[in-house]
Amino acid sequence: MAAATPISMNMLDRYLKQTRIAYFTMEIALRPEMHTYSGGLGGLAGDTARSCADLELPVLFVSLVTRAGYMRQEIDLQGHQTDRPAPWDPARWTQPLGAKIAVTIAGREVWIRPWLYLIRGITGYDTPVILLDTDLEENAPEDRRITDSLYGGDRVYRLKQEVVLGIGGVRILRALGFEIDTYHMNEGHSALLVTELLRRFTRPANGDGACADIARVREACIFTTHTPVEAGHDQFGYDLVERVLNGSVDLEMLKRFGGRERLNMTLLAMNLSGYVNGVAKRHAETSRRMFPGYEVHAVTNGVHSGTWASPGFAHLFDAHFPDWRHDSEVLFRAVTLPDAEVWAAHREAKQQLLHRVRDVTGVTMDPELPLIGFARRMTGYKRANLLFQDPDRLRAIARRRPFQVVLAGKAHPHDEDGKRIIQLIHQRMHELRDAIPIAFLPDYDMDLARVIVAGSDVWLNTPVPPLEASGTSGMKAALNGVLNLSTLDGWWVEACIEGETGWAIGDGTPGSSIERDAGLLYDKLEGTVLELYAHDRARWIWMMKQAISRIGSYFNTHRMMRRYAAEAYLR
């Protein structure tokens, strides 16, 4: 494929005129071939951008180009994960823009250039995505690699990336001619953008000189936090901050707003944002406990319906609800869909998943047996191993009510516990191979996610409450009539109607043991879920329609962005 044609400044005019809001995010899932994302945070950003395009909202997106990607996952027969680079060529999918700016990092000028990707909405409206790149001849060899790897390297590398994203992103938008009124920070990675705004927004002081207009910065900034775990908030020692920023930022100002002992990017963003929100009602409550005294609103996440509906369900929705791609609320009427058409759309998606399983792993699965799907980041608190806690109990359940399991997910290259969970799953797969068909699909990405979330019968989610901020994979599954079986955490607290939209594992009380939760999972799976699938197909399909109606119509990024527009952007 030929390289993209550069866009002239004249061609940018329409985007300059229509854009007033900039959404900053470390990662964004635009398409499977562009390795600018790793998981849920990037998936949400991509779905947000697609909804902005559909709704014609005046928003642009700023992220990093991450030429080497996040990682390509390879799994051997024993379940050992090998991390490989996942390079991609920006020139194949994006277009270079005619601007460059510099930031100071470790005492050197680091030049940044932007690449443009356009997302076209259902009305033909384009939402711009700006990807920042330091791989320029003007830069020192180590600086050329700053925008290479998503979440790669050490703390120094991470802070350099955050300088490029936050400070560099604001400067790039000014160089391109954008007049931005509102800056939306998707997690704390881009929080340094407030330092650039503090530099720009100054007012006369009572005496000589000028001081930063803090009120104006707060008026311009919005912050969405995603992390209910203290260790998940980016923090940097001030010795490192001084070394990397090298006097280019007022250190006393950072300490005033970002913490005296260490620079906490979440605190920096919260203190200088006029609107702060969590990504689910429970997460907002958790955030208010973590940061007492701060007002944290709740805007529950969603998914982009047009992206995540399988071809069969998209065709079904087109036939019965022609406006569903623009107005997802009409999916509330999914309860009126004919049972036979719903089941046929599901069977089509399930067959696609079974074909993928057979082609990738060689495991043949039965389309008549219930299929449990589990796919997400492999890390300790998400407990992908909960289902396999008692293999003897699992084997006994399968003898009475046969079922099959498909799993996928990457462990972060530095997450040894996550890698051990993958090994344990493969060990259990080997132990149970004569009783339960189980497959692990490697290298989980957008393309594989579409197949798994639509083709499963049951979507399993087992985080430790209250550590799941929101989660979105279950929303994608429900849009396709897949029933959720999940611990009560994140978004599922709001969506679970027991026996109608899916089922809860336990009551969501923090502090329960893995043994107790495994027992509750086995009891619900054996006594309720598999029994219903085997003996009451009509009720199962009724629940599928309830899931689409009550979850698909509400837990979508169109609803989410309308709330942001009304409550945050237009405040």
Side-chain angles (χ1 to χ4, degrees):
M1 181 175 179
T5 303
I7 292 182
S8 69
M9 297 306 291
N10 289 337
M11 294 171 67
L12 269 179
D13 279 351
R14 63 171 169 155
Y15 307 119
L16 298 176
K17 293 174 182 176
Q18 74 188 23
T19 306
R20 288 294 179 267
I21 302 160
Y23 183 106
F24 282 67
T25 180
M26 181 69 90
E27 55 173 296
I28 183 167
L30 299 169
R31 56 187 304 145
E33 301 91 345
M34 297 173 63
H35 304 155
T36 53
Y37 67 99
S38 70
L41 185 74
L44 173 72
D47 281 1
T48 300
R50 286 180 276 274
S51 280
C52 286
D54 288 344
L55 299 174
E56 300 190 12
L57 296 178
V59 185
L60 64 76
F61 289 72
V62 180
S63 190
L64 301 182
V65 75
T66 53
R67 288 170 170 272
Y70 174 53
M71 56 164 280
R72 177 172 289 114
Q73 180 193 51
E74 295 178 2
I75 304 286
D76 66 18
L77 294 177
Q78 287 73 43
H80 295 102
Q81 173 179 298
T82 301
D83 315 319
R84 305 290 187 196
W88 69 287
D89 181 6
R92 186 177 181 192
W93 302 106
T94 66
Q95 303 177 34
L97 295 176
K100 291 180 185 178
I101 61 93
V103 294
T104 301
I105 297 178
R108 292 189 300 273
E109 274 194 338
V110 176
W111 287 89
I112 304 168
R113 71 170 170 182
W115 297 83
L116 175 67
Y117 181 82
L118 297 176
I119 296 176
R120 177 148 295 181
I122 54 178
T123 66
Y125 185 93
D126 288 330
T127 290
V129 181
I130 305 294
L131 301 176
L132 307 178
D133 186 9
T134 64
D135 188 10
L136 303 173
E137 291 182 359
E138 297 95 320
N139 290 332
E142 66 181 277
D143 295 332
R144 295 184 67 163
R145 295 192 296 270
I146 291 175
T147 54
D148 269 5
S149 299
L150 180 60
Y151 303 132
D154 56 14
R155 302 302 294 166
V156 178
Y157 187 78
R158 171 67 70 87
L159 183 54
K160 289 179 178 180
Q161 286 193 326
E162 298 192 5
V163 172
V164 170
L165 177 62
I167 298 174
V170 173
R171 293 181 184 179
I172 277 286
L173 295 183
R174 290 198 74 189
L176 290 170
F178 287 100
E179 296 181 6
I180 301 300
D181 299 321
T182 301
Y183 296 83
H184 187 162
M185 293 170 276
N186 187 40
E187 194 54 281
H189 309 114
S190 59
L192 287 173
L193 72 82
V194 301
T195 66
E196 188 67 12
L197 298 184
L198 287 168
R199 188 200 320 271
R200 185 191 311 171
F201 298 154
T202 59
R203 56 182 171 78
N206 291 332
D208 293 334
C211 64
D213 191 340
I214 293 167
R216 189 176 176 189
V217 173
R218 286 178 175 147
E219 184 180 347
C221 290
I222 293 165
F223 175 55
T224 297
T225 176
H226 293 257
T227 309
V229 185
E230 188 66 40
H233 298 274
D234 272 357
Q235 298 187 50
F236 303 97
Y238 279 110
D239 56 341
L240 172 60
V241 172
E242 288 188 77
R243 193 162 73 249
V244 171
L245 294 175
N246 197 243
S248 62
V249 170
D250 185 337
L251 198 62
E252 187 55 36
M253 188 74 77
L254 283 181
K255 290 182 177 180
R256 176 182 173 187
F257 294 110
R260 284 287 166 186
E261 302 302 320
R262 292 172 62 80
L263 174 58
N264 183 314
M265 303 299 275
T266 299
L267 270 181
L268 182 63
M270 292 180 77
N271 279 323
L272 287 166
S273 293
Y275 183 94
V276 177
N277 74 281
V279 289
K281 290 180 179 178
R282 172 166 285 190
H283 176 234
E285 294 168 1
T286 302
S287 297
R288 286 192 287 268
R289 287 194 298 270
M290 291 178 67
F291 299 96
Y294 290 87
E295 183 178 12
V296 182
H297 303 268
V299 179
T300 302
N301 283 345
V303 298
H304 185 254
S305 304
T307 296
W308 296 105
S310 69
F313 273 103
H315 178 75
L316 182 60
F317 298 156
D318 284 339
H320 291 271
F321 318 121
D323 295 332
W324 70 278
R325 296 174 193 271
H326 183 266
D327 183 8
S328 298
E329 292 178 5
V330 301
L331 293 177
F332 186 78
R333 298 183 58 234
V335 292
T336 65
L337 292 171
D339 287 7
E341 293 182 26
V342 170
W343 192 247
H346 172 65
R347 293 276 293 189
E348 178 184 323
K350 188 172 182 178
Q351 286 287 3
Q352 185 180 2
L353 173 55
L354 298 188
H355 288 321
R356 178 72 66 94
V357 169
R358 185 192 59 206
D359 293 345
V360 173
T361 70
V363 176
T364 299
M365 293 189 170
D366 187 344
E368 302 305 321
L369 291 182
L371 177 61
I372 299 171
F374 182 104
R376 55 193 30 84
R377 181 162 52 94
M378 290 287 165
T379 194
Y381 81 88
K382 292 183 181 286
R383 298 192 298 187
N385 53 328
L386 186 67
L387 179 65
F388 303 102
Q389 185 67 20
D390 186 345
D392 291 336
R393 175 81 187 275
L394 207 57
R395 187 188 300 273
I397 293 172
R399 278 199 298 267
R400 288 188 290 274
R401 289 283 172 256
F403 63 94
Q404 46 207 355
V405 183
V406 174
L407 305 101
K410 298 175 179 177
H412 186 280
H414 298 159
D415 187 352
E416 296 304 321
D417 287 340
K419 292 180 179 181
R420 279 190 287 271
I421 288 172
I422 296 175
Q423 292 174 42
L424 174 64
I425 290 171
H426 281 75
Q427 179 184 332
R428 295 289 190 254
M429 288 168 56
H430 180 75
E431 294 172 6
L432 295 165
R433 67 187 184 281
D434 61 337
I436 307 171
I438 306 173
F440 190 103
L441 296 174
D443 211 30
Y444 187 50
D445 65 359
M446 282 182 70
D447 177 58
L448 182 54
R450 287 192 185 106
V451 178
I452 297 181
V453 297
S456 301
D457 292 298
V458 178
W459 194 253
L460 182 64
N461 188 30
T462 52
V464 178
L467 302 185
E468 181 88 298
S470 175
T472 56
S473 61
M475 302 174 189
K476 298 165 187 172
L479 177 66
N480 292 281
V482 177
L483 301 181
N484 278 266
L485 173 60
S486 174
T487 51
L488 280 171
D489 200 13
W491 77 283
W492 188 233
V493 176
E494 301 171 45
C496 180
I497 305 174
E498 184 71 15
E500 296 189 20
T501 58
W503 304 274
I505 304 167
D507 60 6
T509 303
S512 59
S513 68
I514 191 169
E515 292 79 11
R516 176 180 176 273
D517 285 355
L520 292 171
L521 167 58
Y522 295 142
D523 290 345
K524 186 64 65 77
L525 182 63
E526 180 179 24
T528 302
V529 179
L530 297 178
E531 279 291 317
L532 183 67
Y533 190 92
H535 294 301
D536 196 345
R537 185 58 50 79
R539 175 72 182 188
W540 188 278
I541 296 174
W542 179 85
M543 287 185 66
M544 292 175 66
K545 295 194 291 186
Q546 292 294 320
I548 299 169
S549 170
R550 299 184 185 218
I551 296 175
S553 67
Y554 180 79
F555 291 91
N556 55 75
T557 42
H558 278 29
R559 180 269 313 162
M560 183 189 81
M561 288 313 298
R562 287 183 174 115
R563 281 201 60 191
Y564 274 123
E567 299 172 30
Y569 298 160
L570 299 179
R571 59 191 164 83

